[in-house]
Amino acid sequence: MDAARRLMSFQFTFFLFYLASLFQNPTDSSAVILQKNNIDGVLNHNELVFVNFYADWCRFSKMLEPVFEEASNTVPTAIQNVVFGKVNCDAETEVAQKFGISKYPTLKLFRNGRVQKREYRGQRSVEAFKEYIEEQMKSNIKQVNDLKELNDIDSKKRNIIGYFNSMDSPEYKTFQQVASNLRDDCDFTVAVGEISKKERLSGDNIIFRPPRTKDQDMVYLGSLVNKDLLTAWSTDKCVPLVREITFENGEELTEEGLPFLILFHNPEDAQIVQKFNQIVSRELLHEKGNINFLIADGTKFTHPLHHLGKSTKDLPVLAIDSFRHMYLFPDISQMSVPGKLKQFCADLHSGKLHREFHHGPDPTQPPQIAGQDQQQQQQQQQQQGGGTAPQEKRPTTPPESQFIKLAPSKNRYTLLRDEL
């Protein structure tokens, strides 16, 4: 009898929870449920939106859920102008595809409606989320008090510098938004008011200063209040064709799924980096979207060098990592020879690099003489040169990919594909 009463009590309690779930107001949850019909409005009308792309069946998503919910209840209270959102990727497949979701859970930040290139890959805790959002809310624009300070900005980075009469102007507000969206790609600096007067002879002014240059500033000539135009110009300057890979961004670069053409260099050797950039821009623009062009500090990435049979003494070293194998560019001194690097990339696409590493060089056939079959030609060659029989090719194995190890971990994400 007592057991029956306990069972009835449990059933009644469960029924009450069920009814509550039916009539629960969605606004009771601080994390906004994002769907195809509301996501654009939420993203475009909030300064920062931190979004969890998840799947109910994913165990890592289940582990994150209570942490993300707690953060959504506390972080927006402490920090203004930030919204937490979540997308059920099984129910919202179009939304997931639109933002290129390839693993669960994926945490992305949207700023003024624009998805930030670098997704969140840090610790999954309420405190870590709070610190991340606080950092993202800080201004990334450095203000100088004297134009001489512009000589001290980091010359190794890509810099955009603005000269404005006032921070209250529409021109500065536009600059501020663009700078915020590109905070991961460029350093932004401003001189405001009287100190910038000599740089504003014809009005407010914005320039781009390429890395490792002097007196090569590039002036922005478009409208300073046209956000889209300034964004396009700044993106072109801030997001280079050749990027630097580090241990911090290696995972996201690997996740793009494109083979790496990577120059390992000594950090003091600026000349080889400049030469590599010039060659890529001149000969390999057509490969953009097929290959990631990268430079790496060879004194830090010693492990991949070791697998190529090289050391820091051999720098600079050029190689392709296909995410299966690594292929060494045979002679770095030939990099500047027109067509050499282009052919190296073409040989990757055709399979020649893989074939030759496994089976030796492809055979080169002598020109065929009209009316003469292959057997007759071989006999004639042996008679003329006393030729020797071709040596047997010894199969070789190229070094395994090392950068694939920087890809997202299966101990942290449910990957939607096993291979890149």
Side-chain angles (χ1 to χ4, degrees):
M1 187 70 176
D2 289 341
R5 287 177 178 174
R6 286 196 298 270
L7 178 61
M8 290 178 63
S9 176
F10 172 78
Q11 290 175 332
F12 181 71
T13 302
F14 178 81
F15 180 68
L16 290 178
F17 276 114
Y18 174 71
L19 286 178
S21 68
L22 289 178
F23 295 100
Q24 183 182 17
N25 188 339
T27 59
D28 291 343
S29 175
S30 296
V32 180
I33 298 174
L34 299 175
Q35 300 170 321
K36 179 183 177 180
N37 61 355
N38 74 337
I39 188 168
D40 289 338
V42 173
L43 297 181
N44 291 328
H45 289 88
N46 291 281
E47 184 177 351
L48 283 186
V49 184
F50 192 41
V51 181
N52 174 21
F53 293 86
Y54 70 95
D56 283 330
W57 50 264
C58 165
R59 65 187 180 100
F60 299 113
S61 295
K62 289 291 187 185
M63 292 165 61
L64 175 65
E65 183 179 8
V67 178
F68 193 81
E69 288 295 331
E70 183 182 348
S72 73
N73 290 326
T74 58
V75 175
T77 303
I79 306 172
Q80 295 182 348
N81 301 322
V82 60
V83 170
F84 276 59
K86 56 185 180 181
V87 175
N88 182 339
C89 294
D90 283 338
E92 300 293 332
T93 54
E94 286 187 37
V95 175
Q97 290 173 1
K98 177 180 179 180
F99 295 108
I101 305 304
S102 61
K103 63 187 185 307
Y104 303 133
T106 292
L107 296 167
K108 287 184 176 289
L109 183 72
F110 294 79
R111 188 186 304 275
N112 301 314
R114 174 174 171 164
V115 63
Q116 300 301 281
K117 184 176 67 174
R118 293 182 180 174
E119 67 184 59
Y120 179 83
R121 300 175 188 268
Q123 184 181 356
R124 294 171 182 173
S125 70
V126 175
E127 187 59 31
F129 289 160
K130 182 174 181 290
E131 290 177 0
Y132 172 69
I133 296 298
E134 285 176 338
E135 188 63 30
Q136 293 297 315
M137 291 297 292
K138 293 179 181 177
S139 174
N140 63 310
I141 301 175
K142 178 185 176 183
Q143 184 177 356
V144 297
N145 298 313
D146 192 310
L147 293 184
K148 292 180 180 178
E149 294 179 35
L150 295 175
N151 296 325
D152 299 326
I153 61 177
D154 193 342
S155 63
K156 294 181 180 179
K157 295 185 177 180
R158 309 172 90 80
N159 289 275
I160 289 185
I161 303 169
Y163 303 96
F164 298 95
N165 180 47
S166 169
M167 286 186 173
D168 296 324
S169 67
E171 290 81 2
Y172 182 83
K173 298 297 183 185
T174 303
F175 180 84
Q176 193 175 39
Q177 285 190 328
V178 173
S180 183
N181 286 333
L182 292 172
R183 65 193 299 132
D184 293 327
D185 302 299
C186 258
D187 280 4
F188 289 82
T189 307
V190 293
V192 182
E194 189 66 25
I195 66 166
S196 65
K197 191 173 183 179
K198 71 175 186 178
E199 297 290 343
R200 295 186 291 104
L201 298 178
S202 57
D204 290 350
N205 189 22
I206 297 173
I207 62 100
F208 170 67
R209 182 168 295 174
R212 301 181 179 88
T213 61
K214 186 177 181 180
D215 300 326
Q216 296 182 32
D217 294 348
M218 304 170 66
V219 180
Y220 172 66
L221 300 176
S223 168
L224 272 67
V225 294
N226 188 322
K227 180 184 172 184
D228 291 338
L229 194 61
L230 182 57
T231 296
W233 180 84
S234 301
T235 301
D236 179 64
K237 305 303 180 214
C238 291
V239 183
L241 185 60
V242 178
R243 294 178 284 177
E244 180 176 13
I245 187 170
T246 65
F247 291 114
E248 288 73 28
N249 69 0
E251 183 179 285
E252 66 189 66
L253 288 173
T254 302
E255 196 176 3
E256 292 179 10
L258 300 176
F260 292 170
L261 175 63
I262 184 165
L263 174 72
F264 300 91
H265 67 99
N266 188 302
E268 303 301 321
D269 189 356
Q271 186 176 359
I272 191 66
V273 172
Q274 185 177 16
K275 184 183 294 185
F276 181 62
N277 273 272
Q278 291 171 347
I279 295 170
V280 170
S281 299
R282 186 171 62 245
E283 297 189 13
L284 299 177
L285 274 176
H286 66 286
E287 291 285 7
K288 187 178 181 180
N290 299 318
I291 292 176
N292 265 332
F293 308 109
L294 305 172
I295 58 173
D297 184 341
T299 63
K300 295 179 180 178
F301 284 91
T302 55
H303 193 63
L305 285 178
H306 173 74
H307 280 264
L308 287 166
K310 301 292 183 180
S311 71
T312 54
K313 295 179 180 179
D314 299 305
L315 296 175
V317 172
L318 185 62
I320 283 177
D321 190 316
S322 70
F323 296 142
R324 287 184 180 274
H325 298 292
M326 296 186 73
Y327 304 103
L328 181 68
F329 187 73
D331 186 354
I332 193 71
S333 67
Q334 296 291 301
M335 183 179 73
S336 299
V337 177
K340 283 285 186 179
L341 206 51
K342 182 179 180 181
Q343 187 60 51
F344 187 53
C345 295
D347 289 345
L348 170 71
H349 299 316
S350 69
K352 183 179 179 181
L353 291 181
H354 186 78
R355 196 166 56 245
E356 290 194 337
F357 266 101
H358 278 290
H359 306 294
D362 282 353
T364 54
Q365 295 290 343
Q368 189 78 20
I369 301 174
Q372 191 177 52
D373 62 28
Q374 187 174 3
Q375 184 177 4
Q376 289 175 328
Q377 190 169 349
Q378 289 177 348
Q379 290 174 350
Q380 186 180 45
Q381 285 178 331
Q382 289 177 354
Q383 291 172 357
Q384 290 175 347
T388 57
Q391 294 181 351
E392 183 181 353
K393 298 173 184 174
R394 295 183 179 180
T396 59
T397 302
E400 291 184 354
S401 169
Q402 296 302 300
F403 288 93
I404 191 65
K405 298 174 183 177
L406 297 179
S409 170
K410 294 182 180 180
N411 296 321
R412 184 173 168 84
Y413 301 99
T414 297
L415 306 180
L416 300 187
R417 58 179 187 272
D418 292 331
E419 295 181 358
L420 292 167

mmCIF file of all heavy atoms in Angstrom, residues 366-388:
data_model
loop_
_atom_site.group_PDB
_atom_site.id
_atom_site.type_symbol
_atom_site.label_atom_id
_atom_site.label_comp_id
_atom_site.label_asym_id
_atom_site.label_seq_id
_atom_site.Cartn_x
_atom_site.Cartn_y
_atom_site.Cartn_z
ATOM 1 N N PRO A 366 61.098 9.138 -73.344
ATOM 2 C CA PRO A 366 61.765 9.827 -74.454
ATOM 3 C C PRO A 366 60.786 10.095 -75.571
ATOM 4 O O PRO A 366 59.765 9.422 -75.670
ATOM 5 C CB PRO A 366 62.839 8.821 -74.886
ATOM 6 C CG PRO A 366 62.307 7.498 -74.459
ATOM 7 C CD PRO A 366 61.537 7.740 -73.194
ATOM 8 N N PRO A 367 61.062 11.098 -76.391
ATOM 9 C CA PRO A 367 60.129 11.410 -77.483
ATOM 10 C C PRO A 367 59.931 10.214 -78.403
ATOM 11 O O PRO A 367 60.885 9.538 -78.776
ATOM 12 C CB PRO A 367 60.802 12.577 -78.210
ATOM 13 C CG PRO A 367 62.218 12.586 -77.734
ATOM 14 C CD PRO A 367 62.236 11.964 -76.395
ATOM 15 N N GLN A 368 58.695 9.936 -78.745
ATOM 16 C CA GLN A 368 58.366 8.792 -79.601
ATOM 17 C C GLN A 368 58.654 9.143 -81.060
ATOM 18 O O GLN A 368 58.292 10.218 -81.540
ATOM 19 C CB GLN A 368 56.874 8.454 -79.450
ATOM 20 C CG GLN A 368 56.458 7.165 -80.128
ATOM 21 C CD GLN A 368 56.846 5.949 -79.313
ATOM 22 O OE1 GLN A 368 57.078 6.055 -78.114
ATOM 23 N NE2 GLN A 368 56.937 4.807 -79.950
ATOM 24 N N ILE A 369 59.362 8.250 -81.727
ATOM 25 C CA ILE A 369 59.669 8.443 -83.138
ATOM 26 C C ILE A 369 58.540 7.855 -83.969
ATOM 27 O O ILE A 369 58.091 6.733 -83.724
ATOM 28 C CB ILE A 369 61.001 7.759 -83.512
ATOM 29 C CG1 ILE A 369 62.129 8.357 -82.653
ATOM 30 C CG2 ILE A 369 61.302 7.906 -84.992
ATOM 31 C CD1 ILE A 369 63.457 7.656 -82.836
ATOM 32 N N ALA A 370 58.070 8.621 -84.936
ATOM 33 C CA ALA A 370 56.944 8.182 -85.761
ATOM 34 C C ALA A 370 57.251 6.847 -86.426
ATOM 35 O O ALA A 370 58.338 6.626 -86.957
ATOM 36 C CB ALA A 370 56.631 9.233 -86.832
ATOM 37 N N GLY A 371 56.285 5.918 -86.381
ATOM 38 C CA GLY A 371 56.437 4.622 -87.047
ATOM 39 C C GLY A 371 57.278 3.640 -86.256
ATOM 40 O O GLY A 371 57.624 2.589 -86.783
ATOM 41 N N GLN A 372 57.631 3.949 -85.073
ATOM 42 C CA GLN A 372 58.496 3.064 -84.298
ATOM 43 C C GLN A 372 57.794 2.747 -82.985
ATOM 44 O O GLN A 372 57.388 3.643 -82.256
ATOM 45 C CB GLN A 372 59.836 3.768 -84.021
ATOM 46 C CG GLN A 372 60.918 2.853 -83.449
ATOM 47 C CD GLN A 372 62.221 3.595 -83.275
ATOM 48 O OE1 GLN A 372 62.252 4.655 -82.658
ATOM 49 N NE2 GLN A 372 63.290 3.070 -83.829
ATOM 50 N N ASP A 373 57.611 1.454 -82.673
ATOM 51 C CA ASP A 373 56.932 1.117 -81.436
ATOM 52 C C ASP A 373 57.907 1.214 -80.257
ATOM 53 O O ASP A 373 59.112 1.399 -80.426
ATOM 54 C CB ASP A 373 56.282 -0.274 -81.515
ATOM 55 C CG ASP A 373 57.301 -1.390 -81.730
ATOM 56 O OD1 ASP A 373 58.469 -1.223 -81.313
ATOM 57 O OD2 ASP A 373 56.933 -2.433 -82.298
ATOM 58 N N GLN A 374 57.382 1.077 -79.054
ATOM 59 C CA GLN A 374 58.167 1.299 -77.849
ATOM 60 C C GLN A 374 59.304 0.291 -77.723
ATOM 61 O O GLN A 374 60.408 0.633 -77.323
ATOM 62 C CB GLN A 374 57.244 1.213 -76.627
ATOM 63 C CG GLN A 374 57.926 1.600 -75.309
ATOM 64 C CD GLN A 374 56.951 1.635 -74.154
ATOM 65 O OE1 GLN A 374 55.780 1.319 -74.320
ATOM 66 N NE2 GLN A 374 57.436 2.007 -72.990
ATOM 67 N N GLN A 375 59.050 -0.973 -78.093
ATOM 68 C CA GLN A 375 60.084 -2.003 -77.969
ATOM 69 C C GLN A 375 61.261 -1.701 -78.892
ATOM 70 O O GLN A 375 62.431 -1.834 -78.510
ATOM 71 C CB GLN A 375 59.486 -3.380 -78.285
ATOM 72 C CG GLN A 375 60.496 -4.527 -78.076
ATOM 73 C CD GLN A 375 59.849 -5.878 -78.323
ATOM 74 O OE1 GLN A 375 58.693 -5.957 -78.707
ATOM 75 N NE2 GLN A 375 60.595 -6.930 -78.086
ATOM 76 N N GLN A 376 60.973 -1.269 -80.134
ATOM 77 C CA GLN A 376 62.037 -0.931 -81.076
ATOM 78 C C GLN A 376 62.855 0.249 -80.561
ATOM 79 O O GLN A 376 64.084 0.272 -80.668
ATOM 80 C CB GLN A 376 61.429 -0.580 -82.447
ATOM 81 C CG GLN A 376 60.850 -1.778 -83.193
ATOM 82 C CD GLN A 376 60.154 -1.358 -84.473
ATOM 83 O OE1 GLN A 376 59.588 -0.258 -84.539
ATOM 84 N NE2 GLN A 376 60.197 -2.209 -85.479
ATOM 85 N N GLN A 377 62.182 1.227 -79.972
ATOM 86 C CA GLN A 377 62.879 2.406 -79.484
ATOM 87 C C GLN A 377 63.818 2.037 -78.330
ATOM 88 O O GLN A 377 64.935 2.525 -78.240
ATOM 89 C CB GLN A 377 61.866 3.456 -79.039
ATOM 90 C CG GLN A 377 62.501 4.822 -78.746
ATOM 91 C CD GLN A 377 61.464 5.902 -78.572
ATOM 92 O OE1 GLN A 377 60.294 5.685 -78.860
ATOM 93 N NE2 GLN A 377 61.883 7.047 -78.116
ATOM 94 N N GLN A 378 63.350 1.162 -77.410
ATOM 95 C CA GLN A 378 64.190 0.731 -76.303
ATOM 96 C C GLN A 378 65.420 -0.020 -76.796
ATOM 97 O O GLN A 378 66.531 0.184 -76.293
ATOM 98 C CB GLN A 378 63.375 -0.138 -75.348
ATOM 99 C CG GLN A 378 62.334 0.653 -74.543
ATOM 100 C CD GLN A 378 61.491 -0.249 -73.667
ATOM 101 O OE1 GLN A 378 61.521 -1.484 -73.823
ATOM 102 N NE2 GLN A 378 60.741 0.349 -72.755
ATOM 103 N N GLN A 379 65.229 -0.890 -77.793
ATOM 104 C CA GLN A 379 66.363 -1.642 -78.352
ATOM 105 C C GLN A 379 67.377 -0.701 -78.982
ATOM 106 O O GLN A 379 68.598 -0.858 -78.822
ATOM 107 C CB GLN A 379 65.859 -2.656 -79.389
ATOM 108 C CG GLN A 379 65.070 -3.809 -78.782
ATOM 109 C CD GLN A 379 64.471 -4.707 -79.843
ATOM 110 O OE1 GLN A 379 64.483 -4.383 -81.044
ATOM 111 N NE2 GLN A 379 63.932 -5.855 -79.419
ATOM 112 N N GLN A 380 66.887 0.315 -79.690
ATOM 113 C CA GLN A 380 67.778 1.272 -80.337
ATOM 114 C C GLN A 380 68.582 2.061 -79.303
ATOM 115 O O GLN A 380 69.780 2.300 -79.473
ATOM 116 C CB GLN A 380 66.949 2.225 -81.205
ATOM 117 C CG GLN A 380 67.816 3.183 -82.035
ATOM 118 C CD GLN A 380 66.963 4.101 -82.880
ATOM 119 O OE1 GLN A 380 65.979 4.652 -82.414
ATOM 120 N NE2 GLN A 380 67.328 4.265 -84.142
ATOM 121 N N GLN A 381 67.909 2.430 -78.175
ATOM 122 C CA GLN A 381 68.604 3.170 -77.125
ATOM 123 C C GLN A 381 69.727 2.327 -76.516
ATOM 124 O O GLN A 381 70.818 2.823 -76.241
ATOM 125 C CB GLN A 381 67.618 3.577 -76.025
ATOM 126 C CG GLN A 381 66.724 4.739 -76.439
ATOM 127 C CD GLN A 381 65.736 5.086 -75.338
ATOM 128 O OE1 GLN A 381 65.348 4.221 -74.558
ATOM 129 N NE2 GLN A 381 65.343 6.334 -75.283
ATOM 130 N N GLN A 382 69.461 1.038 -76.300
ATOM 131 C CA GLN A 382 70.475 0.178 -75.705
ATOM 132 C C GLN A 382 71.657 -0.006 -76.656
ATOM 133 O O GLN A 382 72.814 -0.046 -76.245
ATOM 134 C CB GLN A 382 69.850 -1.177 -75.359
ATOM 135 C CG GLN A 382 68.883 -1.101 -74.185
ATOM 136 C CD GLN A 382 68.224 -2.442 -73.894
ATOM 137 O OE1 GLN A 382 68.414 -3.401 -74.649
ATOM 138 N NE2 GLN A 382 67.454 -2.507 -72.812
ATOM 139 N N GLN A 383 71.376 -0.099 -77.978
ATOM 140 C CA GLN A 383 72.452 -0.254 -78.955
ATOM 141 C C GLN A 383 73.303 1.007 -79.052
ATOM 142 O O GLN A 383 74.527 0.958 -79.145
ATOM 143 C CB GLN A 383 71.855 -0.584 -80.334
ATOM 144 C CG GLN A 383 71.226 -1.976 -80.388
ATOM 145 C CD GLN A 383 70.469 -2.205 -81.688
ATOM 146 O OE1 GLN A 383 70.369 -1.302 -82.528
ATOM 147 N NE2 GLN A 383 69.937 -3.408 -81.865
ATOM 148 N N GLN A 384 72.649 2.167 -78.978
ATOM 149 C CA GLN A 384 73.383 3.417 -79.132
ATOM 150 C C GLN A 384 74.221 3.750 -77.904
ATOM 151 O O GLN A 384 75.354 4.196 -78.021
ATOM 152 C CB GLN A 384 72.391 4.567 -79.401
ATOM 153 C CG GLN A 384 71.733 4.486 -80.770
ATOM 154 C CD GLN A 384 70.689 5.562 -80.961
ATOM 155 O OE1 GLN A 384 70.280 6.215 -80.011
ATOM 156 N NE2 GLN A 384 70.253 5.751 -82.206
ATOM 157 N N GLY A 385 73.668 3.530 -76.752
ATOM 158 C CA GLY A 385 74.374 3.976 -75.553
ATOM 159 C C GLY A 385 74.863 2.858 -74.678
ATOM 160 O O GLY A 385 75.418 3.119 -73.612
ATOM 161 N N GLY A 386 74.668 1.614 -75.139
ATOM 162 C CA GLY A 386 75.020 0.523 -74.257
ATOM 163 C C GLY A 386 74.287 0.670 -72.945
ATOM 164 O O GLY A 386 74.833 0.425 -71.884
ATOM 165 N N GLY A 387 73.045 1.117 -73.058
ATOM 166 C CA GLY A 387 72.284 1.528 -71.873
ATOM 167 C C GLY A 387 72.118 0.419 -70.858
ATOM 168 O O GLY A 387 72.139 -0.762 -71.181
ATOM 169 N N THR A 388 71.987 0.829 -69.640
ATOM 170 C CA THR A 388 71.745 -0.115 -68.565
ATOM 171 C C THR A 388 70.261 -0.183 -68.287
ATOM 172 O O THR A 388 69.508 0.749 -68.565
ATOM 173 C CB THR A 388 72.464 0.332 -67.279
ATOM 174 O OG1 THR A 388 72.017 1.631 -66.933
ATOM 175 C CG2 THR A 388 73.968 0.354 -67.492
#
